[in-house]
Amino acid sequence: MKKLQLLSAAVMLLFSVNIINADTVKTNLNLFNPDVRKCLIEASESEGWKLEAVYTNEQDKLVMVFGKGTETKTYIDK
């Protein structure tokens, strides 16, 4: 029983570390504008960030996720 509790505690700790590692950047960028997206991608690539995902969230806002090693940055449309 103690092994099960220890295992569940370890899983919860690892999950919380992954959530803290994500960095959400809140900007007033209109990500639906193709020129803004292009500039954001080019600027991020020049700093070593790679575009990992693009999607719309439940509020129909465009979300762009960039990664660099184990770090992530998430940009959300205004």
Side-chain angles (χ1 to χ4, degrees):
M1 188 63 160
K2 288 195 178 227
K3 288 182 183 179
L4 182 60
Q5 290 174 339
L6 181 61
L7 179 62
S8 63
V11 170
M12 293 300 284
L13 181 62
L14 287 173
F15 183 69
S16 66
V17 169
N18 284 337
I19 291 174
I20 292 170
N21 201 14
D23 182 22
T24 302
V25 179
K26 295 182 180 178
T27 63
N28 287 328
L29 296 176
N30 179 5
L31 296 179
F32 282 103
N33 183 329
D35 292 331
V36 172
R37 287 193 309 265
K38 181 181 175 187
C39 288
L40 179 60
I41 291 169
E42 289 175 355
S44 297
E45 286 177 349
S46 71
E47 295 179 4
W49 294 89
K50 180 181 171 188
L51 181 64
E52 294 182 345
V54 178
Y55 61 91
T56 55
N57 64 10
E58 58 275 355
Q59 291 97 21
D60 290 327
K61 292 186 176 188
L62 191 63
V63 178
M64 298 178 78
V65 180
F66 291 88
K68 181 178 179 181
T70 59
E71 298 177 68
T72 61
K73 283 190 179 180
T74 305
Y75 290 86
I76 302 173
D77 185 53
K78 66 176 180 175

